[in-house]
Amino acid sequence: MRVVLVRHPAPLIEPGICYGRLDMPLHPDADIDGLAQGPLLAGSMQIWTSPARRCREVAERVADALSIPLIADARLLELDFGEWEEKAWDDIPRDDLDRWAADPLSFRAPGGESGAELVARVADFNFGLTQDCIVVSHGGPLRVLSALLRGEPVDLLSPPQALGTAISLTKAPAPPAGSSAAERGR
């Protein structure tokens, strides 16, 4: 099964601002048509999107261009940064950022969600993928989904897919039922 991952283009927000769950439009210079007409997208049966406006704008254009159904799914939303949302990254205490970097799975910004919660909801989404499709989302969920599709461990600190790009992956086969992690690693 082929899954095309599309990261939304740059949103309309000042550089250096934390904007995980903020709902904002795309920057006026965003090349939505370029993404919608990309050759990687041909042959997909449906499109999944984060309900965030910056993803929906892209997904709607792609769905129209390819005449395929579009489904918005909250499991594809970006990490909820809680009280960090709309703050300049430079205004977030360095100690907090260091604690997040030291343990991205367990750390939770005040009022936000942990990396483990992000991984769990994206893994749940991945489990239900059954046909060639396009997924329009954000850096965090796409980082997780990319690793899961490849059958690799999730690294929440790995570089995200670039803004406004599409990549095509083949979903790794599921391990045999009843096999242990040790057996799968051989």
Side-chain angles (χ1 to χ4, degrees):
M1 178 180 63
R2 188 176 68 94
V3 180
V4 178
L5 305 181
V6 177
R7 185 170 180 201
H8 64 78
L12 185 59
I13 192 166
E14 291 295 318
I17 302 295
C18 177
Y19 63 87
R21 289 283 177 96
L22 289 179
D23 203 13
M24 69 205 72
L26 291 170
H27 191 279
D29 294 338
D31 183 13
I32 300 173
D33 290 327
L35 275 174
Q37 303 301 326
L40 285 180
L41 307 181
S44 296
M45 303 302 292
Q46 68 184 28
I47 184 166
W48 296 89
T49 186
S50 161
R53 182 175 174 186
R54 60 191 183 268
C55 293
R56 276 193 342 264
E57 289 179 18
V58 173
E60 288 168 357
R61 190 80 53 92
V62 172
D64 287 346
L66 299 177
S67 298
I68 58 175
L70 181 147
I71 303 165
D73 192 314
R75 295 174 294 180
L76 296 171
L77 283 165
E78 181 59 282
L79 182 74
D80 183 347
F81 287 101
E83 293 176 15
W84 290 4
E85 300 274 342
E86 290 189 85
K87 285 188 178 179
W89 285 105
D90 290 342
D91 292 342
I92 297 170
R94 183 78 230 171
D95 288 347
D96 288 350
L97 293 172
D98 290 344
R99 285 198 336 262
W100 178 32
D103 190 4
L105 277 174
S106 298
F107 182 84
R108 171 193 320 267
E113 83 182 306
S114 70
E117 290 168 319
L118 170 68
V119 171
R121 65 181 161 83
V122 174
D124 184 60
F125 171 80
N126 178 55
F127 182 75
L129 291 178
T130 59
Q131 61 182 339
D132 290 356
C133 63
I134 299 164
V135 176
V136 181
S137 191
H138 314 270
L142 291 179
R143 179 185 295 123
V144 173
L145 187 55
S146 176
L148 295 173
L149 289 169
R150 290 180 168 117
E152 298 172 354
V154 174
D155 178 1
L156 292 176
L157 299 179
S158 66
Q161 181 177 330
L163 288 165
T165 62
I167 61 170
S168 179
L169 299 173
T170 301
K171 188 172 182 176
S179 67
S180 70
E183 291 169 336
R184 290 190 304 267
R186 289 184 202 171

